[in-house]
Amino acid sequence: SFWLFQFAFCATSATIVAGTLAERCQMTAYLAYSIMLAAFVYPVVVHSIWSPQGFLSAHNPTPLWDSGMVDFAGGSVVHLTGGMTALIATKILGPRTGRFHDLRGKVLKVPTEFPGHSLALQCLGTFILWFGWYGFNAGSIISLTLDDHHLVVSHTAINTTLSAAAGCVSTLCLSTIVAERMSGEVTFNLQYAMNGCLSGLVAITAGCSIVESWASIVIGLVSGALYLCCSKLLVRWRIDDAVDAIPVHMINGIWGSLSVGLFAEPTLMKAVYGTSDHVGWFYSWGRGNADAILLACQVVGILFVVGWVMFTMTPFFWLLHYCGFLRSDSLEEVVGLDIGYTGGGIRNHRDNFESEKMEEYLKEYEHRQRERAYFKKNSDRGIPASSIHQDSLHGSSYHGRRIITQNMIESLDTTSNNVMGNNNNTRAIANGVENSNTSVSDNDAAAGDGHGDDQRRTV
């Protein structure tokens, strides 16, 4: 049962990354980084912090600076590890098609929002996570029969609830104030509220059993503000996090670990860890000294986790990217990754597309599949079917090829006309784009005559 419990923690760190890379990452990459994270990265972190032989462990007979790092339920072990991996992965992978750039590669003044299809399911998922967190936090006591562990479990559950609620309220209020200042209208963003709730849960994870109830509320309030600020910063820096997992897990994993060094209460530390020599910095001031050893241990632990994840996962994701196993094909992003990975075939999905312009994307995707199969079958160099990095015919990454045609450009310009309502100006812009793209297409056709066309006729 203990192994299964730890297995769930390990799997959680991998699922954090999956949300960040949604809608543009290959299934091969999901499997590869899950194995790498679970087999090589996470075991080193969890051994160092939780094992009695770990150099950061508070359970070590000779802990670091006679204190060790305190991480009761995995604020750094699980959430910081997964969140840091997600940041590295999305930085190398790049944003979703159309998120920060249009189909011509020009930077958008206002990033495109990709809203979820169902707020009801998002709310359901949030409450399921909240409910599961009681097993995540309270279950970390491992045994209810030893000493007064039943009291620790009840206290842990209360703190988990208070921090989650505080994070939700904090994010909802702050996002409403920001929206009112920016637009003049009072709007309540439910997605921010849900992620704020998860931020509070992540932040309280490290110290849920050793902080008082008032401190858990403070931790939750700060976590909501940190989440909102970091979410906005990621958009400003053009880092695409599909589900805001980086500010939720990485940023609040760091904050939660630091909060232990500030709010760890002496009596609770004695009950859970058997010693109260080094407690939260605020309580040390109450003792008449400025003992910050526990806080220093928390900082060392955070730096260790961040450094180890960067050292192992950065070259790993660069290798995946270089080999062409990381990014999905650009057309698969447009028509939907389920077409390429579920094996249902395009024709089974045609009825789901109401827009006529999608038909051309689907035809091009069918052609891309045949072309890819041809190169896979006839290439002597064993080039992956998902990426033709080294083939001189294409000259660059397969998923970086042009995926738009003249009809697609016209449909995009027509949509812009309807939205902007300025027919004269947009017609002039569309004509200019049409002429420039026509010349580019002519040049490409001239350069592609011969070898390129022979290859396509062969396909």
Side-chain angles (χ1 to χ4, degrees):
S1 59
F2 178 76
W3 180 90
L4 186 62
F5 187 72
Q6 294 299 327
F7 170 79
F9 276 60
C10 180
T12 301
S13 65
T15 60
I16 293 170
V17 188
T20 297
L21 308 184
E23 302 179 0
R24 62 199 188 278
C25 183
Q26 291 189 45
M27 189 64 187
T28 304
Y30 282 119
L31 297 175
Y33 80 70
S34 296
I35 294 173
M36 179 68 179
L37 193 64
F40 301 101
V41 180
Y42 180 85
V44 173
V45 175
V46 71
H47 176 83
S48 300
I49 298 177
W50 280 349
S51 172
Q53 290 77 39
F55 79 100
L56 289 171
S57 176
H59 300 287
N60 193 312
T62 57
L64 177 66
W65 298 329
D66 293 325
S67 173
M69 183 184 184
V70 173
D71 187 359
F72 182 74
S76 290
V77 171
V78 177
H79 298 286
L80 179 54
T81 301
M84 191 65 206
T85 304
L87 177 61
I88 296 170
T90 191
K91 189 65 178 176
I92 297 174
L93 180 64
R96 289 165 287 180
T97 299
R99 180 70 168 105
F100 300 120
H101 304 81
D102 62 17
L103 292 181
R104 302 180 186 90
K106 295 181 180 179
V107 176
L108 298 172
K109 293 183 179 179
V110 179
T112 304
E113 296 292 338
F114 286 30
H117 73 284
S118 174
L119 278 175
L121 291 179
Q122 288 178 346
C123 287
L124 178 62
T126 300
F127 280 111
I128 291 174
L129 284 172
W130 192 343
F131 180 78
W133 230 281
Y134 292 109
F136 200 95
N137 285 0
S140 293
I141 196 64
I142 304 301
S143 174
L144 287 174
T145 58
L146 297 177
D147 301 329
D148 294 329
H149 282 186
H150 61 285
L151 299 177
V152 176
V153 169
S154 61
H155 182 73
T156 299
I158 292 172
N159 284 346
T160 301
T161 304
L162 292 175
S163 182
C168 178
V169 172
S170 173
T171 307
L172 182 62
C173 293
L174 288 176
S175 63
T176 301
I177 294 172
V178 171
E180 192 275 332
R181 293 294 182 182
M182 297 294 293
S183 64
E185 297 181 1
V186 177
T187 57
F188 298 94
N189 193 312
L190 188 57
Q191 290 178 319
Y192 280 148
M194 290 185 289
N195 279 330
C197 173
L198 298 179
S199 297
L201 290 168
V202 171
I204 197 61
T205 298
C208 53
S209 64
I210 56 174
V211 300
E212 296 185 90
S213 297
W214 65 266
S216 67
I217 297 175
V218 174
I219 293 171
L221 292 173
V222 175
S223 70
L226 286 174
Y227 157 72
L228 189 62
C229 292
C230 293
S231 178
K232 299 292 185 182
L233 282 176
L234 288 180
V235 176
R236 181 182 293 272
W237 293 338
R238 302 188 185 282
I239 298 175
D240 188 14
D241 185 352
V243 297
D244 274 347
I246 295 171
V248 169
H249 295 278
M250 189 190 83
I251 299 301
N252 282 293
I254 293 174
W255 160 237
S257 296
L258 292 176
S259 68
V260 171
L262 299 175
F263 298 106
E265 199 270 334
T267 304
L268 294 172
M269 281 286 293
K270 183 71 174 180
V272 178
Y273 289 95
T275 179
S276 60
D277 294 339
H278 303 288
V279 295
W281 195 39
F282 295 151
Y283 289 94
S284 295
W285 282 100
R287 290 177 169 182
N289 58 58
D291 179 13
I293 290 180
L294 179 58
L295 180 60
C297 289
Q298 300 299 110
V299 173
V300 171
I302 292 169
L303 293 177
F304 168 74
V305 174
V306 171
W308 173 246
V309 173
M310 290 182 63
F311 176 76
T312 53
M313 298 306 291
T314 300
F316 177 77
F317 279 110
W318 273 117
L319 181 62
L320 283 180
H321 179 68
Y322 178 79
C323 295
F325 293 120
L326 184 59
R327 180 92 187 196
S328 294
D329 185 272
S330 53
L331 272 173
E332 287 180 344
E333 287 188 59
V334 177
V335 301
L337 297 183
D338 53 343
I339 291 178
Y341 294 141
T342 59
I346 294 179
R347 298 187 181 278
N348 296 335
H349 294 267
R350 287 188 185 274
D351 295 336
N352 297 329
F353 299 110
E354 299 178 357
S355 175
E356 295 181 357
K357 65 181 180 181
M358 186 60 72
E359 185 68 23
E360 192 160 359
Y361 286 106
L362 292 171
K363 289 181 180 179
E364 177 66 18
Y365 179 71
E366 288 179 321
H367 170 72
R368 186 76 63 85
Q369 284 186 310
R370 293 193 297 269
E371 189 179 33
R372 185 187 302 166
Y374 170 80
F375 282 110
K376 183 177 182 180
K377 180 179 180 181
N378 294 282
S379 176
D380 296 332
R381 289 171 291 177
I383 300 175
S386 58
S387 182
I388 315 296
H389 279 287
Q390 303 173 12
D391 200 287
S392 59
L393 175 63
H394 300 284
S396 61
S397 175
Y398 194 75
H399 59 65
R401 292 179 58 197
R402 189 188 305 276
I403 66 170
I404 60 174
T405 64
Q406 191 62 35
N407 292 336
M408 297 177 191
I409 292 176
E410 292 175 356
S411 65
L412 290 171
D413 291 336
T414 301
T415 303
S416 299
N417 291 340
N418 295 333
V419 174
M420 296 176 64
N422 191 344
N423 294 327
N424 294 329
N425 293 335
T426 50
R427 282 199 191 98
I429 295 172
N431 290 334
V433 173
E434 179 179 351
N435 293 333
S436 64
N437 279 278
T438 301
S439 64
V440 171
S441 300
D442 293 339
N443 293 334
D444 291 342
D449 282 340
H451 183 67
D453 289 339
D454 292 341
Q455 293 287 346
R456 293 188 181 89
R457 283 194 291 271
T458 303
V459 176

